[in-house]
Amino acid sequence: MVSHQDTLWQRFLQPIVGVFIDQEKLRQLYESIDWQRESDRLSTPELVYPDYYKRQNFHGIEGGYLNGSAATTYDPITQYALPPNETWVRQELIDRIQGTPRRILDLGCGTGSTTLLLKQAFPEAEVIGLDLSPYMLVMAERKAKAAGVEIQWRHGKAEQTGLPEASFDLVTACLLFHETPSTVAKAILRESFRLLQGGGQILILDGNQRTLRQVNWLTEVFEEPYIQAYATDSVDAWMGSAGFEAVQTQDVWWLNQVTQGMKPLPVEGQVYQRTQRRTIDDFSQGIPAPA
C-alpha cells in the first residue's frame, strides 16, 4: 500500500494541479469565513461522528473533511478529478432522472455541486442536501445563495438520516460510496430504500468499478482509504440486496459510472417480488408526489 508521504498524488499530480489553482484566492476565501461560528450554526449538536469518517485522511488532508481547509479546496481540486468536465459528469446523473420528483434527497452532498444541479433541474421540488461535514455545508450554503436557489442543508449521517420513512421520490449520492467502507455503503442503500416511497428512484454516481479494477494505479492517485475495497465490489449487487429493482449501471466517460434503481410499487399491501423482470421505463410514468 502506498504510504501517506509517497502517494502518486503528492509526487506528481498535486504540483501540476497547484499551477492551475489560485492559492492566494483560496487563502482569502478561507480567512473570510468564521468557520467556528458557521459550522456550529449548521451542525447537529447530538451527532456522533463515526470512526470511519473522523479518523481518516481523505485526499491527503489531515482530519479529512472536518475542517475549513478541506471545504475551500474541494471544488478547485474536484474539477480536475472528474474529466473531461465536472459539470458534464454530474449532469449524467441528472439526465437519468425519471419523471418529475417533488422531494429530493442528495446524500453526502459535500459542497452542494450536484445538489444545485438537482434544484436547477427541478425548481419546484423540495431539495435537501445532507452531509457529515458542517464545513462542507458552509460552502454549499454559500453556493446556493450565490445561485439564488433555496435548498435545505442538513448535517447528518447518510446511513442514519433520521428523516421520515417513504418521504422522498428521488434519492441521489454523488462520489460518496468510494469514501465509505462497504458495510456503510450497504447501510446507506438500506436507508435510501426506507426513505423512498414506492416507485421512487435512486441514482448513484461514483467511480467506475470495472475501470478501477483494471487500472490499479487509479486507486492510488488520491489518498482514499476505502477506494480499493470499493473497486472490488459491486454497487449493483448492493442495490439488489437492499431491495431495489430495475438496477442497471452505465459507464460515464470511462472513469465513472451511474447506477440507478427503483423501489418496488406496493400491490394490495405487498411489494412486487424482486424476481419479476422490470425496466426503468416501467416506472417513468406517473410517479406520485409524497403525501
Side-chain angles (χ1 to χ4, degrees), residues 80-137:
Y80 297 106
L82 292 176
N85 179 284
E86 179 184 356
T87 300
W88 297 352
V89 173
R90 295 184 187 273
Q91 186 64 38
E92 293 283 345
L93 181 148
I94 308 298
D95 291 344
R96 287 169 173 78
I97 295 173
Q98 303 289 327
T100 304
R102 301 301 301 272
R103 296 198 78 225
I104 302 171
L105 176 62
D106 189 27
L107 297 172
C109 66
T111 61
S113 296
T114 300
T115 327
L116 282 170
L117 291 177
L118 288 163
K119 182 63 176 179
Q120 290 163 346
F122 303 99
E124 300 303 316
E126 179 183 0
V127 179
I128 298 174
L130 181 143
D131 200 86
L132 254 177
S133 171
Y135 301 90
M136 301 291 271
L137 293 177

Side-chain angles (χ1 to χ4, degrees), residues 10-246:
Q10 287 174 315
R11 280 186 289 159
F12 302 115
L13 297 181
Q14 192 175 52
I16 297 173
V17 170
V19 173
F20 300 99
I21 294 177
D22 189 336
Q23 309 244 5
E24 178 59 23
K25 184 178 180 180
L26 285 181
R27 184 188 65 80
Q28 292 175 4
L29 173 60
Y30 175 83
E31 293 179 351
S32 71
I33 298 171
D34 185 335
W35 289 103
Q36 187 67 56
R37 183 187 67 189
E38 293 300 293
S39 62
D40 286 349
R41 180 175 58 82
L42 291 169
S43 293
T44 300
E46 64 272 19
L47 187 146
V48 177
Y49 292 104
D51 286 343
Y52 77 83
Y53 189 77
K54 69 179 181 180
R55 296 188 178 180
Q56 295 289 352
N57 298 328
F58 294 90
H59 307 294
I61 299 174
E62 293 291 339
Y65 293 122
L66 294 174
N67 59 79
S69 175
T72 52
T73 58
Y74 183 83
D75 285 347
I77 295 295
T78 302
Q79 64 179 316
Y80 297 106
L82 292 176
N85 179 284
E86 179 184 356
T87 300
W88 297 352
V89 173
R90 295 184 187 273
Q91 186 64 38
E92 293 283 345
L93 181 148
I94 308 298
D95 291 344
R96 287 169 173 78
I97 295 173
Q98 303 289 327
T100 304
R102 301 301 301 272
R103 296 198 78 225
I104 302 171
L105 176 62
D106 189 27
L107 297 172
C109 66
T111 61
S113 296
T114 300
T115 327
L116 282 170
L117 291 177
L118 288 163
K119 182 63 176 179
Q120 290 163 346
F122 303 99
E124 300 303 316
E126 179 183 0
V127 179
I128 298 174
L130 181 143
D131 200 86
L132 254 177
S133 171
Y135 301 90
M136 301 291 271
L137 293 177
V138 170
M139 295 304 298
E141 184 183 69
R142 290 171 63 95
K143 288 163 63 174
K145 287 181 178 179
V149 298
E150 183 177 345
I151 295 172
Q152 298 179 42
W153 304 108
R154 186 179 178 94
H155 181 219
K157 294 185 286 187
E159 66 269 33
Q160 190 177 8
T161 65
L163 294 166
E165 182 177 349
S167 55
F168 295 92
D169 49 12
L170 174 64
V171 172
T172 62
C174 186
L175 306 180
L176 173 61
F177 281 12
H178 77 274
E179 296 193 337
T180 63
S182 60
T183 54
V184 176
K186 294 173 185 176
I188 291 171
L189 287 171
R190 291 194 296 270
E191 175 71 348
S192 299
F193 190 88
R194 184 188 72 84
L195 291 171
L196 282 167
Q197 61 176 335
Q201 184 181 19
I202 184 170
L203 283 161
I204 308 296
L205 171 63
D206 218 305
N208 189 313
Q209 290 174 298
R210 184 173 66 251
T211 299
L212 291 172
R213 287 193 293 268
Q214 294 172 345
V215 189
N216 291 333
W217 62 267
L218 282 174
T219 64
E220 300 177 354
V221 171
F222 301 102
E223 187 175 344
E224 295 280 12
Y226 308 115
I227 194 170
Q228 291 183 343
Y230 165 81
T232 61
D233 222 314
S234 168
V235 175
D236 292 62
W238 296 345
M239 288 180 65
S241 295
F244 290 104
E245 287 188 346

